[in-house]
Amino acid sequence: MSEIDWAAINEKLPIGRDPESKERRKKMFSDFDVNGNRLLSLAEVDKATRDVLRIDEIYDLKGAISHAFKIAKNCTKSKREVGDDYIEFREFRFFLLSLRQYFEYGVAFRRIDVNKDHKISLVEFKEAQSNIEKWVGKIDAEEEFRKIDTNGGGAILFDEFCQWAIKKNLDLADDVDDFAM
């Protein structure tokens, strides 16, 4: 993955609680909501990541978009009959926060998956151990690999990696974490 301008990505995601960020989110939500029904589908979010946010690095990580969508749509109980399959405005800030976090996990995953087959082998995991330890602290690579590979398939999938990254509080050393909350 090429050099990422983390500050520029953070700037495009208005996740703060201040009035300016909220106004930016309202406008952004409206821009995402192409059909005007005040609900965002995964298709709308996916398309808007490319066309509204214009963050190609995130758009290229489809797993980050779908994970953020899934977690955001389930963060509150909808008052609408069809709402639990969509993101409402009150869930949108959480979506943006989650999108940034899952993007970071996706970047970490891609840095380990050197052969780009969308899964991490034990060999790749062991070869990346020194970098992984910068992100999560000291690990026993083989033992940790077995813990992460929850389906026993012999490789770590992105879903499995994200669950582990959340538990380990993974934080890339080279990203910019100082965005307005």
Side-chain angles (χ1 to χ4, degrees):
M1 199 163 220
S2 63
E3 192 65 31
I4 295 169
D5 185 347
W6 290 100
I9 288 172
N10 292 345
E11 176 58 33
K12 290 183 178 186
L13 301 173
I15 58 176
R17 294 185 184 273
D18 58 286
E20 179 187 345
S21 293
K22 188 170 185 178
E23 284 305 311
R24 285 181 58 207
R25 272 195 309 279
K26 283 181 183 178
K27 165 103 173 66
M28 185 179 288
F29 186 89
S30 178
D31 291 344
F32 273 47
D33 184 19
V34 292
N35 63 11
N37 67 351
R38 298 190 327 258
L39 297 170
L40 301 179
S41 68
L42 178 56
E44 287 173 310
V45 166
D46 184 60
K47 185 177 183 317
T49 301
R50 181 192 66 211
D51 298 345
V52 176
L53 288 178
R54 296 180 185 192
I55 305 175
D56 292 338
E57 297 92 345
I58 292 179
Y59 183 72
D60 292 341
L61 279 167
K62 297 291 187 182
I65 298 168
S66 64
H67 276 76
F69 178 84
K70 185 170 37 174
I71 198 166
K73 77 179 182 68
N74 293 323
C75 74
T76 63
K77 185 73 177 150
S78 177
K79 295 175 183 161
R80 300 174 184 233
E81 290 181 27
V82 297
D84 282 340
D85 291 330
Y86 301 90
I87 295 175
E88 298 177 44
F89 179 72
R90 63 191 175 133
E91 299 162 325
F92 192 57
R93 179 177 177 273
F94 190 69
F95 166 74
L96 295 174
L97 282 164
S98 300
L99 184 62
R100 168 59 173 80
Q101 191 62 53
Y102 280 105
F103 174 63
E104 186 171 344
Y105 298 156
V107 170
F109 186 89
R110 283 192 172 177
R111 288 179 180 174
I112 301 167
D113 178 25
V114 293
N115 71 1
K116 309 297 181 223
D117 64 352
H118 307 289
K119 57 188 175 186
I120 298 170
S121 69
L122 178 58
V123 170
E124 288 171 318
F125 196 76
K126 288 169 85 171
E127 288 175 355
Q129 183 173 352
S130 64
N131 281 332
I132 295 167
E133 288 179 343
K134 291 176 190 172
W135 308 332
V136 301
K138 189 87 173 130
I139 61 166
D140 176 306
E142 289 192 27
E143 180 182 328
E144 210 65 30
F145 184 90
R146 283 191 298 276
K147 286 181 193 174
I148 301 168
D149 181 20
T150 57
N151 72 1
I156 298 171
L157 304 176
F158 186 62
D159 289 347
E160 295 170 321
F161 184 80
C162 288
Q163 291 302 313
W164 173 79
I166 291 167
K167 290 176 191 168
K168 288 290 195 175
N169 197 24
L170 184 145
D171 185 27
L172 292 177
D174 63 333
D175 74 325
V176 176
D177 289 329
D178 64 339
F179 44 95
M181 294 289 284

